[in-house]
Structures are given as structure tokens and as C-alpha cells.
Amino acid sequence: GNGGPAYGSALQPVEVGSSGGGVYVDGWLAGTGGTGGGAIHLVVENELTLEGTISANAGPGGPDKFGGGAGGSLWIETGRLAGHGALRATGSDGAGAGGGGGGGRIAVYYREAAEYAGFPDCHLAGGGGGGEPSGQPGTLGFFDVSRDNGQPSLYVPRDRFAYPPQAVVRLAHVSVGTTTAPEARLEL
């Protein structure tokens, strides 16, 4: 089948990823779909120092023919973001006649992130398809809420960030891409 799309809120993601489909061949189960990624809403009042990985990745399916699971959601709110760690919500691969699972959603709200160097290591890729289309990539947005006017700045370091249909968000500043990830894009 077709690869999966990204879904749920890109601004306040809370959806768990859906599982991929299994396949029956001649009445026998030929594969169990990949598991969907979980959902994490993490609120850290002062500082989040991330040196490892926070993930809501989809799990693999098996053994032969199956669809990939969808990536889950990470919604992080913190005063200060620091460290070199990564955030991930990737879809898993499909196999046989199964498409890949869609990437998840990550939204990070912070007041300061000058000490955070993990932007390039954050991933939301859709899973690869087993001869079928890959899942769509998810969305990633870092929102600087240090201005007290209610209008955050949006930083999109890689992949893409797509607003949900009919969303209204007032932004004070938008940065898309980095010198190491110039392929980043913002879809409005």
C-alpha cells in the first residue's frame, strides 16, 4: 500500500503514531505491521540539558510483508534548552507490499537555546516502503517564546514544518534552514 502521511497538530503534538498494517497471504499471516511511536509532553520549568536522545520512533514490523508504523509526538516546553542531544519521531519501514510509516511531530518551546547544539541531529523521516512509497516526513519546529508579546519566533533547522490547515499563528520571526541543512523548507 501507500506510505503514510504525517498527521496531528504540528504546534501542540499529542497523537501517538498508528501501527502499520499486517498482511495475510492465502489465509496465513505473512507480517505484522510496525508499532506506532508514543507521545511525550515534557514540561521542564528551568533547564532541559539533553545529551542523549528523546524519541517517539515507530517500531519495526515483521517478519515478511507489512506496513511501517507512524512516528509519534514530542511536545517539549522548557525555560532553557542546552546540550548536544537529539529529538526523533521517525516512521518505520514497510516490507513486501507495505508502505513506510509517516514521520511524527516535534514542537519545542523555549525561552533560551543558545547552548543547544543538537538541532542538526533531530529527525522525523518517514519509513521506507518495501517496494511501495515511503512515508511522508514529519514536522519539526523550535519556538522561541522569550518575547512576552505572545508571538514566538519559529526556527526550522531541517526537514520541514507544515502548519495544519486553517491554523493561525502569529510569529515575530522565522528562520528556515542552517548552513549544514539548506534544504529545509516551511510550508504555509
Side-chain angles (χ1 to χ4, degrees):
N2 292 330
Y7 57 87
S9 173
L11 303 174
Q12 297 176 333
V14 295
E15 300 284 334
V16 297
S18 59
S19 62
V23 177
Y24 283 88
V25 176
D26 295 327
W28 294 91
L29 182 62
T32 302
T35 57
I40 300 171
H41 181 192
L42 182 62
V43 179
V44 181
E45 290 293 323
N46 294 318
E47 179 176 325
L48 171 60
T49 302
L50 180 59
E51 294 297 350
T53 300
I54 298 175
S55 68
N57 293 336
D64 189 23
K65 299 176 184 191
F66 54 87
S73 300
L74 299 176
W75 175 11
I76 297 174
E77 300 174 79
T78 185
R80 184 169 183 259
L81 180 62
H84 298 85
L87 302 169
R88 298 197 173 135
T90 60
S92 63
D93 295 341
R105 306 268 194 197
I106 298 175
V108 180
Y109 294 82
Y110 62 88
R111 295 184 87 56
E112 187 206 333
E115 305 273 326
Y116 182 62
F119 294 114
D121 297 319
C122 297
H123 297 285
L124 297 125
E132 295 295 328
S134 297
Q136 293 179 355
T139 60
L140 170 65
F142 286 87
F143 298 89
D144 180 348
V145 295
S146 61
R147 294 180 175 92
D148 290 326
N149 63 3
Q151 296 180 348
S153 295
L154 171 63
Y155 172 57
V156 183
R158 64 177 305 132
D159 296 316
R160 67 185 189 142
F161 184 86
Y163 280 102
Q166 302 174 349
V168 176
V169 179
R170 300 191 191 296
L171 299 169
H173 182 264
V174 177
S175 297
V176 178
T178 65
T179 57
T180 59
E183 73 282 359
R185 65 185 187 198
L186 175 67
E187 294 181 10
L188 298 174

PDB file of all heavy atoms in Angstrom, residues 100-128:
ATOM      1  N   GLY A 100       5.913   2.648   3.878  1.00  0.00           N
ATOM      2  CA  GLY A 100       6.532   3.131   5.107  1.00  0.00           C
ATOM      3  C   GLY A 100       5.590   3.983   5.928  1.00  0.00           C
ATOM      4  O   GLY A 100       4.671   4.602   5.403  1.00  0.00           O
ATOM      5  N   GLY A 101       5.802   4.023   7.243  1.00  0.00           N
ATOM      6  CA  GLY A 101       5.004   4.864   8.128  1.00  0.00           C
ATOM      7  C   GLY A 101       5.437   6.315   8.052  1.00  0.00           C
ATOM      8  O   GLY A 101       6.610   6.619   7.833  1.00  0.00           O
ATOM      9  N   GLY A 102       4.497   7.229   8.228  1.00  0.00           N
ATOM     10  CA  GLY A 102       4.807   8.658   8.202  1.00  0.00           C
ATOM     11  C   GLY A 102       5.624   9.081   9.408  1.00  0.00           C
ATOM     12  O   GLY A 102       5.574   8.460  10.471  1.00  0.00           O
ATOM     13  N   GLY A 103       6.412  10.136   9.259  1.00  0.00           N
ATOM     14  CA  GLY A 103       7.167  10.697  10.368  1.00  0.00           C
ATOM     15  C   GLY A 103       6.244  11.371  11.367  1.00  0.00           C
ATOM     16  O   GLY A 103       5.106  11.715  11.040  1.00  0.00           O
ATOM     17  N   GLY A 104       6.715  11.574  12.574  1.00  0.00           N
ATOM     18  CA  GLY A 104       5.902  12.176  13.629  1.00  0.00           C
ATOM     19  C   GLY A 104       6.007  13.683  13.681  1.00  0.00           C
ATOM     20  O   GLY A 104       6.400  14.338  12.710  1.00  0.00           O
ATOM     21  N   ARG A 105       5.631  14.239  14.820  1.00  0.00           N
ATOM     22  CA  ARG A 105       5.627  15.692  15.017  1.00  0.00           C
ATOM     23  C   ARG A 105       6.464  16.030  16.251  1.00  0.00           C
ATOM     24  O   ARG A 105       6.353  15.370  17.290  1.00  0.00           O
ATOM     25  CB  ARG A 105       4.211  16.198  15.264  1.00  0.00           C
ATOM     26  CG  ARG A 105       3.194  15.812  14.222  1.00  0.00           C
ATOM     27  CD  ARG A 105       3.083  16.850  13.181  1.00  0.00           C
ATOM     28  NE  ARG A 105       1.884  16.637  12.359  1.00  0.00           N
ATOM     29  CZ  ARG A 105       1.722  17.200  11.192  1.00  0.00           C
ATOM     30  NH1 ARG A 105       2.645  17.977  10.699  1.00  0.00           N
ATOM     31  NH2 ARG A 105       0.630  16.990  10.497  1.00  0.00           N
ATOM     32  N   ILE A 106       7.278  17.082  16.139  1.00  0.00           N
ATOM     33  CA  ILE A 106       8.049  17.580  17.279  1.00  0.00           C
ATOM     34  C   ILE A 106       7.862  19.091  17.350  1.00  0.00           C
ATOM     35  O   ILE A 106       8.064  19.791  16.352  1.00  0.00           O
ATOM     36  CB  ILE A 106       9.547  17.252  17.160  1.00  0.00           C
ATOM     37  CG1 ILE A 106       9.769  15.739  17.134  1.00  0.00           C
ATOM     38  CG2 ILE A 106      10.333  17.890  18.306  1.00  0.00           C
ATOM     39  CD1 ILE A 106      11.220  15.323  16.907  1.00  0.00           C
ATOM     40  N   ALA A 107       7.483  19.579  18.526  1.00  0.00           N
ATOM     41  CA  ALA A 107       7.387  21.016  18.782  1.00  0.00           C
ATOM     42  C   ALA A 107       8.092  21.297  20.102  1.00  0.00           C
ATOM     43  O   ALA A 107       7.781  20.675  21.117  1.00  0.00           O
ATOM     44  CB  ALA A 107       5.927  21.461  18.847  1.00  0.00           C
ATOM     45  N   VAL A 108       9.055  22.219  20.078  1.00  0.00           N
ATOM     46  CA  VAL A 108       9.833  22.566  21.267  1.00  0.00           C
ATOM     47  C   VAL A 108       9.667  24.061  21.520  1.00  0.00           C
ATOM     48  O   VAL A 108       9.969  24.887  20.655  1.00  0.00           O
ATOM     49  CB  VAL A 108      11.330  22.227  21.081  1.00  0.00           C
ATOM     50  CG1 VAL A 108      12.114  22.595  22.334  1.00  0.00           C
ATOM     51  CG2 VAL A 108      11.515  20.760  20.734  1.00  0.00           C
ATOM     52  N   TYR A 109       9.176  24.398  22.713  1.00  0.00           N
ATOM     53  CA  TYR A 109       9.002  25.788  23.131  1.00  0.00           C
ATOM     54  C   TYR A 109      10.029  26.094  24.210  1.00  0.00           C
ATOM     55  O   TYR A 109      10.115  25.372  25.195  1.00  0.00           O
ATOM     56  CB  TYR A 109       7.583  26.004  23.675  1.00  0.00           C
ATOM     57  CG  TYR A 109       6.514  25.841  22.619  1.00  0.00           C
ATOM     58  CD1 TYR A 109       6.049  24.584  22.255  1.00  0.00           C
ATOM     59  CD2 TYR A 109       5.988  26.953  21.978  1.00  0.00           C
ATOM     60  CE1 TYR A 109       5.078  24.434  21.277  1.00  0.00           C
ATOM     61  CE2 TYR A 109       5.010  26.820  20.999  1.00  0.00           C
ATOM     62  CZ  TYR A 109       4.566  25.554  20.654  1.00  0.00           C
ATOM     63  OH  TYR A 109       3.620  25.416  19.687  1.00  0.00           O
ATOM     64  N   TYR A 110      10.805  27.160  24.020  1.00  0.00           N
ATOM     65  CA  TYR A 110      11.877  27.502  24.961  1.00  0.00           C
ATOM     66  C   TYR A 110      12.019  29.017  25.068  1.00  0.00           C
ATOM     67  O   TYR A 110      11.563  29.759  24.204  1.00  0.00           O
ATOM     68  CB  TYR A 110      13.204  26.888  24.493  1.00  0.00           C
ATOM     69  CG  TYR A 110      13.654  27.418  23.151  1.00  0.00           C
ATOM     70  CD1 TYR A 110      14.431  28.567  23.060  1.00  0.00           C
ATOM     71  CD2 TYR A 110      13.267  26.794  21.972  1.00  0.00           C
ATOM     72  CE1 TYR A 110      14.813  29.078  21.832  1.00  0.00           C
ATOM     73  CE2 TYR A 110      13.646  27.293  20.742  1.00  0.00           C
ATOM     74  CZ  TYR A 110      14.423  28.439  20.682  1.00  0.00           C
ATOM     75  OH  TYR A 110      14.782  28.950  19.464  1.00  0.00           O
ATOM     76  N   ARG A 111      12.681  29.449  26.134  1.00  0.00           N
ATOM     77  CA  ARG A 111      12.980  30.862  26.308  1.00  0.00           C
ATOM     78  C   ARG A 111      14.418  31.179  25.913  1.00  0.00           C
ATOM     79  O   ARG A 111      14.742  32.298  25.559  1.00  0.00           O
ATOM     80  CB  ARG A 111      12.702  31.299  27.744  1.00  0.00           C
ATOM     81  CG  ARG A 111      11.205  31.211  28.095  1.00  0.00           C
ATOM     82  CD  ARG A 111      10.877  31.721  29.466  1.00  0.00           C
ATOM     83  NE  ARG A 111      10.615  33.132  29.615  1.00  0.00           N
ATOM     84  CZ  ARG A 111       9.715  33.854  28.964  1.00  0.00           C
ATOM     85  NH1 ARG A 111       9.014  33.295  28.027  1.00  0.00           N
ATOM     86  NH2 ARG A 111       9.544  35.126  29.220  1.00  0.00           N
ATOM     87  N   GLU A 112      15.282  30.162  25.982  1.00  0.00           N
ATOM     88  CA  GLU A 112      16.675  30.348  25.577  1.00  0.00           C
ATOM     89  C   GLU A 112      17.238  29.015  25.102  1.00  0.00           C
ATOM     90  O   GLU A 112      16.998  27.976  25.734  1.00  0.00           O
ATOM     91  CB  GLU A 112      17.531  30.862  26.739  1.00  0.00           C
ATOM     92  CG  GLU A 112      18.933  31.211  26.303  1.00  0.00           C
ATOM     93  CD  GLU A 112      19.952  31.118  27.422  1.00  0.00           C
ATOM     94  OE1 GLU A 112      19.602  31.290  28.599  1.00  0.00           O
ATOM     95  OE2 GLU A 112      21.096  30.827  27.080  1.00  0.00           O
ATOM     96  N   ALA A 113      18.003  29.040  23.998  1.00  0.00           N
ATOM     97  CA  ALA A 113      18.602  27.806  23.481  1.00  0.00           C
ATOM     98  C   ALA A 113      19.989  28.044  22.901  1.00  0.00           C
ATOM     99  O   ALA A 113      20.461  27.283  22.072  1.00  0.00           O
ATOM    100  CB  ALA A 113      17.700  27.174  22.432  1.00  0.00           C
ATOM    101  N   ALA A 114      20.659  29.104  23.360  1.00  0.00           N
ATOM    102  CA  ALA A 114      21.991  29.424  22.831  1.00  0.00           C
ATOM    103  C   ALA A 114      22.991  28.303  23.086  1.00  0.00           C
ATOM    104  O   ALA A 114      23.949  28.140  22.339  1.00  0.00           O
ATOM    105  CB  ALA A 114      22.492  30.731  23.439  1.00  0.00           C
ATOM    106  N   GLU A 115      22.778  27.506  24.134  1.00  0.00           N
ATOM    107  CA  GLU A 115      23.709  26.422  24.492  1.00  0.00           C
ATOM    108  C   GLU A 115      23.287  25.069  23.907  1.00  0.00           C
ATOM    109  O   GLU A 115      23.878  24.054  24.238  1.00  0.00           O
ATOM    110  CB  GLU A 115      23.793  26.303  26.016  1.00  0.00           C
ATOM    111  CG  GLU A 115      24.172  27.583  26.711  1.00  0.00           C
ATOM    112  CD  GLU A 115      25.669  27.755  26.800  1.00  0.00           C
ATOM    113  OE1 GLU A 115      26.375  26.747  26.939  1.00  0.00           O
ATOM    114  OE2 GLU A 115      26.125  28.912  26.729  1.00  0.00           O
ATOM    115  N   TYR A 116      22.275  25.047  23.036  1.00  0.00           N
ATOM    116  CA  TYR A 116      21.827  23.785  22.451  1.00  0.00           C
ATOM    117  C   TYR A 116      22.460  23.601  21.076  1.00  0.00           C
ATOM    118  O   TYR A 116      22.328  24.454  20.202  1.00  0.00           O
ATOM    119  CB  TYR A 116      20.299  23.743  22.333  1.00  0.00           C
ATOM    120  CG  TYR A 116      19.775  22.439  21.771  1.00  0.00           C
ATOM    121  CD1 TYR A 116      19.988  21.238  22.440  1.00  0.00           C
ATOM    122  CD2 TYR A 116      19.096  22.397  20.570  1.00  0.00           C
ATOM    123  CE1 TYR A 116      19.525  20.038  21.925  1.00  0.00           C
ATOM    124  CE2 TYR A 116      18.617  21.206  20.052  1.00  0.00           C
ATOM    125  CZ  TYR A 116      18.843  20.033  20.734  1.00  0.00           C
ATOM    126  OH  TYR A 116      18.391  18.842  20.219  1.00  0.00           O
ATOM    127  N   ALA A 117      23.152  22.483  20.877  1.00  0.00           N
ATOM    128  CA  ALA A 117      23.845  22.209  19.612  1.00  0.00           C
ATOM    129  C   ALA A 117      23.277  20.990  18.895  1.00  0.00           C
ATOM    130  O   ALA A 117      23.867  20.501  17.945  1.00  0.00           O
ATOM    131  CB  ALA A 117      25.329  22.012  19.883  1.00  0.00           C
ATOM    132  N   GLY A 118      22.124  20.485  19.323  1.00  0.00           N
ATOM    133  CA  GLY A 118      21.575  19.268  18.740  1.00  0.00           C
ATOM    134  C   GLY A 118      20.624  19.472  17.575  1.00  0.00           C
ATOM    135  O   GLY A 118      20.071  18.499  17.058  1.00  0.00           O
ATOM    136  N   PHE A 119      20.424  20.713  17.128  1.00  0.00           N
ATOM    137  CA  PHE A 119      19.479  20.972  16.042  1.00  0.00           C
ATOM    138  C   PHE A 119      19.699  20.065  14.822  1.00  0.00           C
ATOM    139  O   PHE A 119      18.750  19.496  14.303  1.00  0.00           O
ATOM    140  CB  PHE A 119      19.530  22.439  15.594  1.00  0.00           C
ATOM    141  CG  PHE A 119      19.052  23.426  16.625  1.00  0.00           C
ATOM    142  CD1 PHE A 119      19.925  24.335  17.189  1.00  0.00           C
ATOM    143  CD2 PHE A 119      17.725  23.455  17.025  1.00  0.00           C
ATOM    144  CE1 PHE A 119      19.491  25.256  18.129  1.00  0.00           C
ATOM    145  CE2 PHE A 119      17.276  24.379  17.969  1.00  0.00           C
ATOM    146  CZ  PHE A 119      18.170  25.272  18.518  1.00  0.00           C
ATOM    147  N   PRO A 120      20.936  19.900  14.320  1.00  0.00           N
ATOM    148  CA  PRO A 120      21.122  19.091  13.102  1.00  0.00           C
ATOM    149  C   PRO A 120      20.844  17.595  13.288  1.00  0.00           C
ATOM    150  O   PRO A 120      20.703  16.875  12.310  1.00  0.00           O
ATOM    151  CB  PRO A 120      22.594  19.295  12.737  1.00  0.00           C
ATOM    152  CG  PRO A 120      23.064  20.448  13.533  1.00  0.00           C
ATOM    153  CD  PRO A 120      22.177  20.537  14.735  1.00  0.00           C
ATOM    154  N   ASP A 121      20.777  17.124  14.534  1.00  0.00           N
ATOM    155  CA  ASP A 121      20.598  15.693  14.791  1.00  0.00           C
ATOM    156  C   ASP A 121      19.145  15.286  15.040  1.00  0.00           C
ATOM    157  O   ASP A 121      18.874  14.133  15.353  1.00  0.00           O
ATOM    158  CB  ASP A 121      21.463  15.267  15.980  1.00  0.00           C
ATOM    159  CG  ASP A 121      22.937  15.458  15.688  1.00  0.00           C
ATOM    160  OD1 ASP A 121      23.354  15.152  14.560  1.00  0.00           O
ATOM    161  OD2 ASP A 121      23.666  15.926  16.576  1.00  0.00           O
ATOM    162  N   CYS A 122      18.227  16.206  14.900  1.00  0.00           N
ATOM    163  CA  CYS A 122      16.810  15.902  15.107  1.00  0.00           C
ATOM    164  C   CYS A 122      16.218  15.359  13.808  1.00  0.00           C
ATOM    165  O   CYS A 122      16.455  15.919  12.736  1.00  0.00           O
ATOM    166  CB  CYS A 122      16.067  17.155  15.553  1.00  0.00           C
ATOM    167  SG  CYS A 122      16.654  17.788  17.137  1.00  0.00           S
ATOM    168  N   HIS A 123      15.468  14.245  13.901  1.00  0.00           N
ATOM    169  CA  HIS A 123      14.971  13.575  12.695  1.00  0.00           C
ATOM    170  C   HIS A 123      13.496  13.214  12.792  1.00  0.00           C
ATOM    171  O   HIS A 123      13.017  12.816  13.840  1.00  0.00           O
ATOM    172  CB  HIS A 123      15.769  12.301  12.431  1.00  0.00           C
ATOM    173  CG  HIS A 123      17.207  12.554  12.148  1.00  0.00           C
ATOM    174  ND1 HIS A 123      17.647  13.053  10.956  1.00  0.00           N
ATOM    175  CD2 HIS A 123      18.307  12.396  12.920  1.00  0.00           C
ATOM    176  CE1 HIS A 123      18.956  13.191  11.002  1.00  0.00           C
ATOM    177  NE2 HIS A 123      19.378  12.805  12.177  1.00  0.00           N
ATOM    178  N   LEU A 124      12.824  13.304  11.654  1.00  0.00           N
ATOM    179  CA  LEU A 124      11.394  12.961  11.542  1.00  0.00           C
ATOM    180  C   LEU A 124      11.099  12.256  10.233  1.00  0.00           C
ATOM    181  O   LEU A 124      10.028  12.388   9.674  1.00  0.00           O
ATOM    182  CB  LEU A 124      10.560  14.248  11.591  1.00  0.00           C
ATOM    183  CG  LEU A 124      10.709  14.974  12.886  1.00  0.00           C
ATOM    184  CD1 LEU A 124      11.152  16.388  12.644  1.00  0.00           C
ATOM    185  CD2 LEU A 124       9.430  14.927  13.634  1.00  0.00           C
ATOM    186  N   ALA A 125      12.028  11.497   9.737  1.00  0.00           N
ATOM    187  CA  ALA A 125      11.865  10.864   8.430  1.00  0.00           C
ATOM    188  C   ALA A 125      10.721   9.857   8.441  1.00  0.00           C
ATOM    189  O   ALA A 125      10.456   9.203   9.444  1.00  0.00           O
ATOM    190  CB  ALA A 125      13.157  10.159   8.037  1.00  0.00           C
ATOM    191  N   GLY A 126      10.065   9.754   7.303  1.00  0.00           N
ATOM    192  CA  GLY A 126       9.105   8.683   7.106  1.00  0.00           C
ATOM    193  C   GLY A 126       9.858   7.396   6.824  1.00  0.00           C
ATOM    194  O   GLY A 126      10.990   7.419   6.340  1.00  0.00           O
ATOM    195  N   GLY A 127       9.245   6.256   7.132  1.00  0.00           N
ATOM    196  CA  GLY A 127       9.876   4.975   6.875  1.00  0.00           C
ATOM    197  C   GLY A 127       9.893   4.647   5.400  1.00  0.00           C
ATOM    198  O   GLY A 127       9.062   5.118   4.628  1.00  0.00           O
ATOM    199  N   GLY A 128      10.858   3.829   4.993  1.00  0.00           N
ATOM    200  CA  GLY A 128      10.962   3.406   3.611  1.00  0.00           C
ATOM    201  C   GLY A 128       9.909   2.359   3.282  1.00  0.00           C
ATOM    202  O   GLY A 128       9.495   1.589   4.145  1.00  0.00           O
TER     203      GLY A 128
END
